Amino acid sequence: MKRKTGSFQFVAATILLVTVAAISFVGTVMARMSAGGAEPESYYREKEQQLVRDTRQELERQGFVNSGIMLTRVVEGDGRRSYTVTIHHGEIDRMEEAEREILARELAAFAFEEDGSSFQYRFLITAQP
């Protein structure tokens, strides 16, 4: 009888150790997979921050000081990125639509070129007609 009890304990300990080893292995693999995506993400984050800084500087250069700038991104499952830069400023509100389109084209020059990325510039108009 004692022999069976010892054998049962050995099997239970073995199963426990194999389970712990498997969980550790899966955790290591998952951590490496997520770390692999961190480098490209930091690359894009820096590009996005630079885009906002350049846009702000250009707007200030044109006299639109203290403009509200919001960058929104959508990352598709296949890696394609869509960016929308939304800008708000009272003086831009009062511009004609054609003038805003010219401004948007000028600002589009600051968009970083990346395969699979698209950019759109919008102006948040809050002034009442």
Side-chain angles (χ1 to χ4, degrees):
M1 215 33 155
K2 287 214 179 227
R3 194 165 206 162
K4 286 195 172 213
T5 303
S7 178
F8 174 76
Q9 290 174 345
F10 174 75
V11 170
T14 302
I15 290 173
L16 178 65
L17 289 174
V18 169
T19 303
V20 168
I23 291 171
S24 298
F25 175 75
V26 169
T28 301
V29 169
M30 296 299 285
R32 287 189 180 182
M33 286 177 59
S34 67
E39 185 176 318
E41 188 58 35
S42 66
Y43 165 79
Y44 282 109
R45 191 174 321 276
E46 177 58 36
K47 290 284 201 178
E48 294 160 1
Q49 290 171 350
Q50 186 63 46
L51 172 63
V52 172
R53 282 192 299 269
D54 292 345
T55 300
R56 185 175 310 285
Q57 288 174 351
E58 179 61 19
L59 288 168
E60 287 177 358
R61 189 187 71 72
Q62 292 194 27
F64 304 112
V65 180
N66 295 325
S67 295
I69 302 171
M70 181 175 61
L71 176 67
T72 305
R73 76 168 169 204
V74 176
V75 181
E76 302 293 338
D78 62 1
R80 288 180 297 130
R81 293 169 177 263
S82 301
Y83 294 96
T84 302
V85 181
T86 305
I87 300 167
H88 176 265
H89 192 278
E91 293 299 319
I92 295 174
D93 284 1
R94 292 183 275 285
M95 292 171 68
E96 295 292 325
E97 184 64 31
E99 293 174 305
R100 285 194 291 265
E101 288 176 14
I102 292 169
L103 179 58
R105 282 195 299 272
E106 291 172 353
L107 295 173
F110 296 106
F112 54 91
E113 294 183 23
E114 198 67 44
D115 287 342
S117 294
S118 63
F119 293 85
Q120 181 177 19
Y121 288 80
R122 292 189 176 179
F123 298 102
L124 182 62
I125 309 300
T126 58
Q128 299 296 327

Short mmCIF file of all heavy atoms in Angstrom, two decimals, residues 62-93:
data_model
loop_
_atom_site.label_atom_id
_atom_site.label_comp_id
_atom_site.label_asym_id
_atom_site.label_seq_id
_atom_site.Cartn_x
_atom_site.Cartn_y
_atom_site.Cartn_z
N GLN A 62 1.78 80.96 -39.28
CA GLN A 62 0.75 81.62 -40.09
C GLN A 62 -0.18 82.48 -39.24
O GLN A 62 -1.15 83.03 -39.76
CB GLN A 62 -0.05 80.58 -40.87
CG GLN A 62 0.77 79.89 -41.94
CD GLN A 62 -0.09 79.13 -42.91
OE1 GLN A 62 -1.25 79.46 -43.13
NE2 GLN A 62 0.47 78.10 -43.51
N GLY A 63 0.10 82.60 -37.94
CA GLY A 63 -0.68 83.48 -37.09
C GLY A 63 -1.79 82.81 -36.30
O GLY A 63 -2.55 83.49 -35.61
N PHE A 64 -1.90 81.52 -36.36
CA PHE A 64 -2.94 80.79 -35.62
C PHE A 64 -2.34 80.25 -34.32
O PHE A 64 -2.17 79.05 -34.14
CB PHE A 64 -3.51 79.65 -36.48
CG PHE A 64 -4.06 80.11 -37.79
CD1 PHE A 64 -3.44 79.74 -38.99
CD2 PHE A 64 -5.19 80.91 -37.85
CE1 PHE A 64 -3.94 80.16 -40.20
CE2 PHE A 64 -5.70 81.33 -39.07
CZ PHE A 64 -5.06 80.96 -40.25
N VAL A 65 -2.04 81.17 -33.41
CA VAL A 65 -1.42 80.81 -32.13
C VAL A 65 -2.46 80.13 -31.23
O VAL A 65 -3.63 80.47 -31.27
CB VAL A 65 -0.84 82.08 -31.46
CG1 VAL A 65 -0.18 81.75 -30.13
CG2 VAL A 65 0.14 82.76 -32.40
N ASN A 66 -1.99 79.18 -30.45
CA ASN A 66 -2.84 78.43 -29.51
C ASN A 66 -3.95 77.64 -30.22
O ASN A 66 -5.07 77.56 -29.72
CB ASN A 66 -3.44 79.35 -28.44
CG ASN A 66 -2.39 79.94 -27.54
OD1 ASN A 66 -1.39 79.29 -27.24
ND2 ASN A 66 -2.59 81.17 -27.13
N SER A 67 -3.62 77.07 -31.35
CA SER A 67 -4.60 76.23 -32.05
C SER A 67 -4.76 74.91 -31.31
O SER A 67 -3.81 74.37 -30.76
CB SER A 67 -4.12 75.93 -33.48
OG SER A 67 -4.06 77.10 -34.24
N GLY A 68 -5.98 74.41 -31.34
CA GLY A 68 -6.23 73.08 -30.80
C GLY A 68 -5.92 72.07 -31.89
O GLY A 68 -6.43 72.17 -33.01
N ILE A 69 -5.07 71.10 -31.59
CA ILE A 69 -4.68 70.08 -32.57
C ILE A 69 -4.89 68.72 -31.93
O ILE A 69 -4.38 68.45 -30.84
CB ILE A 69 -3.21 70.23 -32.99
CG1 ILE A 69 -2.97 71.61 -33.58
CG2 ILE A 69 -2.83 69.14 -33.99
CD1 ILE A 69 -1.51 71.92 -33.82
N MET A 70 -5.64 67.88 -32.62
CA MET A 70 -5.88 66.52 -32.14
C MET A 70 -5.55 65.55 -33.26
O MET A 70 -6.05 65.68 -34.38
CB MET A 70 -7.33 66.35 -31.71
CG MET A 70 -7.63 64.97 -31.18
SD MET A 70 -9.30 64.78 -30.54
CE MET A 70 -10.29 65.13 -31.97
N LEU A 71 -4.70 64.58 -32.96
CA LEU A 71 -4.35 63.54 -33.92
C LEU A 71 -5.05 62.26 -33.51
O LEU A 71 -4.89 61.79 -32.38
CB LEU A 71 -2.83 63.33 -33.95
CG LEU A 71 -2.34 62.21 -34.85
CD1 LEU A 71 -2.59 62.56 -36.32
CD2 LEU A 71 -0.86 61.95 -34.62
N THR A 72 -5.84 61.72 -34.41
CA THR A 72 -6.53 60.46 -34.16
C THR A 72 -6.00 59.43 -35.14
O THR A 72 -5.85 59.73 -36.32
CB THR A 72 -8.05 60.62 -34.38
OG1 THR A 72 -8.52 61.70 -33.57
CG2 THR A 72 -8.79 59.36 -34.02
N ARG A 73 -5.71 58.24 -34.65
CA ARG A 73 -5.22 57.19 -35.55
C ARG A 73 -6.07 55.95 -35.39
O ARG A 73 -6.58 55.65 -34.31
CB ARG A 73 -3.77 56.86 -35.27
CG ARG A 73 -3.60 56.03 -34.06
CD ARG A 73 -2.22 55.46 -33.93
NE ARG A 73 -2.18 54.91 -32.58
CZ ARG A 73 -1.11 54.72 -31.90
NH1 ARG A 73 0.04 55.02 -32.41
NH2 ARG A 73 -1.18 54.23 -30.69
N VAL A 74 -6.20 55.24 -36.50
CA VAL A 74 -6.87 53.95 -36.51
C VAL A 74 -5.90 52.98 -37.14
O VAL A 74 -5.41 53.22 -38.25
CB VAL A 74 -8.19 54.01 -37.32
CG1 VAL A 74 -8.81 52.63 -37.41
CG2 VAL A 74 -9.15 55.00 -36.71
N VAL A 75 -5.59 51.89 -36.43
CA VAL A 75 -4.69 50.88 -36.95
C VAL A 75 -5.52 49.65 -37.30
O VAL A 75 -6.18 49.06 -36.44
CB VAL A 75 -3.59 50.51 -35.92
CG1 VAL A 75 -2.65 49.47 -36.49
CG2 VAL A 75 -2.84 51.75 -35.48
N GLU A 76 -5.50 49.30 -38.58
CA GLU A 76 -6.25 48.14 -39.05
C GLU A 76 -5.50 46.86 -38.68
O GLU A 76 -4.30 46.90 -38.36
CB GLU A 76 -6.44 48.21 -40.57
CG GLU A 76 -7.15 49.46 -41.04
CD GLU A 76 -8.61 49.53 -40.61
OE1 GLU A 76 -9.20 48.47 -40.32
OE2 GLU A 76 -9.15 50.63 -40.57
N GLY A 77 -6.17 45.75 -38.78
CA GLY A 77 -5.56 44.46 -38.46
C GLY A 77 -4.36 44.12 -39.33
O GLY A 77 -3.44 43.45 -38.89
N ASP A 78 -4.37 44.61 -40.56
CA ASP A 78 -3.25 44.32 -41.47
C ASP A 78 -2.11 45.33 -41.34
O ASP A 78 -1.15 45.30 -42.10
CB ASP A 78 -3.74 44.27 -42.92
CG ASP A 78 -4.34 45.58 -43.41
OD1 ASP A 78 -4.36 46.56 -42.63
OD2 ASP A 78 -4.79 45.62 -44.56
N GLY A 79 -2.22 46.26 -40.37
CA GLY A 79 -1.15 47.21 -40.13
C GLY A 79 -1.33 48.57 -40.78
O GLY A 79 -0.58 49.50 -40.49
N ARG A 80 -2.32 48.71 -41.66
CA ARG A 80 -2.56 50.02 -42.28
C ARG A 80 -3.00 51.00 -41.21
O ARG A 80 -3.71 50.64 -40.28
CB ARG A 80 -3.64 49.92 -43.36
CG ARG A 80 -3.19 49.20 -44.61
CD ARG A 80 -4.28 49.14 -45.66
NE ARG A 80 -5.40 48.35 -45.13
CZ ARG A 80 -6.67 48.73 -45.14
NH1 ARG A 80 -7.02 49.87 -45.69
NH2 ARG A 80 -7.61 47.96 -44.64
N ARG A 81 -2.57 52.25 -41.37
CA ARG A 81 -2.90 53.29 -40.40
C ARG A 81 -3.60 54.44 -41.10
O ARG A 81 -3.17 54.87 -42.16
CB ARG A 81 -1.63 53.81 -39.72
CG ARG A 81 -0.98 52.76 -38.86
CD ARG A 81 0.41 53.18 -38.41
NE ARG A 81 0.97 52.18 -37.54
CZ ARG A 81 0.95 52.24 -36.21
NH1 ARG A 81 0.44 53.29 -35.62
NH2 ARG A 81 1.44 51.27 -35.48
N SER A 82 -4.66 54.92 -40.47
CA SER A 82 -5.39 56.08 -40.97
C SER A 82 -5.30 57.16 -39.89
O SER A 82 -5.62 56.90 -38.73
CB SER A 82 -6.85 55.74 -41.23
OG SER A 82 -6.95 54.71 -42.17
N TYR A 83 -4.88 58.35 -40.30
CA TYR A 83 -4.74 59.46 -39.37
C TYR A 83 -5.70 60.57 -39.75
O TYR A 83 -5.86 60.87 -40.93
CB TYR A 83 -3.31 60.02 -39.40
CG TYR A 83 -2.27 59.06 -38.88
CD1 TYR A 83 -1.54 58.26 -39.75
CD2 TYR A 83 -2.02 58.96 -37.52
CE1 TYR A 83 -0.59 57.39 -39.27
CE2 TYR A 83 -1.06 58.10 -37.04
CZ TYR A 83 -0.34 57.31 -37.92
OH TYR A 83 0.60 56.45 -37.43
N THR A 84 -6.29 61.17 -38.74
CA THR A 84 -7.09 62.37 -38.93
C THR A 84 -6.53 63.43 -38.00
O THR A 84 -6.43 63.21 -36.79
CB THR A 84 -8.57 62.12 -38.61
OG1 THR A 84 -9.06 61.07 -39.45
CG2 THR A 84 -9.40 63.38 -38.83
N VAL A 85 -6.13 64.56 -38.59
CA VAL A 85 -5.64 65.69 -37.80
C VAL A 85 -6.78 66.71 -37.76
O VAL A 85 -7.19 67.24 -38.80
CB VAL A 85 -4.38 66.31 -38.44
CG1 VAL A 85 -3.89 67.48 -37.59
CG2 VAL A 85 -3.29 65.27 -38.60
N THR A 86 -7.31 66.95 -36.58
CA THR A 86 -8.40 67.89 -36.40
C THR A 86 -7.83 69.15 -35.76
O THR A 86 -7.13 69.08 -34.74
CB THR A 86 -9.51 67.30 -35.51
OG1 THR A 86 -9.93 66.05 -36.08
CG2 THR A 86 -10.70 68.23 -35.41
N ILE A 87 -8.15 70.29 -36.37
CA ILE A 87 -7.59 71.57 -35.92
C ILE A 87 -8.73 72.52 -35.59
O ILE A 87 -9.71 72.60 -36.33
CB ILE A 87 -6.69 72.17 -37.02
CG1 ILE A 87 -5.55 71.19 -37.32
CG2 ILE A 87 -6.16 73.54 -36.62
CD1 ILE A 87 -4.79 71.50 -38.57
N HIS A 88 -8.54 73.25 -34.48
CA HIS A 88 -9.54 74.24 -34.09
C HIS A 88 -8.85 75.56 -33.78
O HIS A 88 -7.86 75.59 -33.04
CB HIS A 88 -10.33 73.77 -32.87
CG HIS A 88 -11.29 74.81 -32.39
ND1 HIS A 88 -10.98 75.70 -31.38
CD2 HIS A 88 -12.53 75.12 -32.80
CE1 HIS A 88 -12.00 76.50 -31.19
NE2 HIS A 88 -12.96 76.18 -32.03
N HIS A 89 -9.38 76.62 -34.36
CA HIS A 89 -8.92 77.97 -34.05
C HIS A 89 -10.01 78.93 -34.51
O HIS A 89 -10.59 78.76 -35.60
CB HIS A 89 -7.60 78.28 -34.76
CG HIS A 89 -6.95 79.54 -34.27
ND1 HIS A 89 -7.32 80.78 -34.71
CD2 HIS A 89 -5.96 79.73 -33.36
CE1 HIS A 89 -6.58 81.69 -34.10
NE2 HIS A 89 -5.74 81.07 -33.27
N GLY A 90 -10.29 79.94 -33.72
CA GLY A 90 -11.36 80.89 -34.04
C GLY A 90 -11.18 81.58 -35.38
O GLY A 90 -12.15 81.80 -36.12
N GLU A 91 -9.93 81.92 -35.72
CA GLU A 91 -9.68 82.59 -37.01
C GLU A 91 -9.93 81.64 -38.18
O GLU A 91 -10.40 82.06 -39.23
CB GLU A 91 -8.25 83.15 -37.06
CG GLU A 91 -8.00 84.28 -36.09
CD GLU A 91 -8.89 85.50 -36.38
OE1 GLU A 91 -9.09 85.84 -37.56
OE2 GLU A 91 -9.40 86.08 -35.40
N ILE A 92 -9.62 80.38 -37.98
CA ILE A 92 -9.87 79.39 -39.04
C ILE A 92 -11.37 79.23 -39.23
O ILE A 92 -11.85 79.05 -40.35
CB ILE A 92 -9.18 78.06 -38.73
CG1 ILE A 92 -7.66 78.24 -38.74
CG2 ILE A 92 -9.59 76.98 -39.73
CD1 ILE A 92 -6.86 77.03 -38.30
N ASP A 93 -12.13 79.32 -38.14
CA ASP A 93 -13.60 79.26 -38.22
C ASP A 93 -14.14 80.31 -39.19
O ASP A 93 -15.09 80.05 -39.92
CB ASP A 93 -14.24 79.51 -36.85
CG ASP A 93 -14.13 78.32 -35.91
OD1 ASP A 93 -13.54 77.30 -36.30
OD2 ASP A 93 -14.65 78.42 -34.78
#
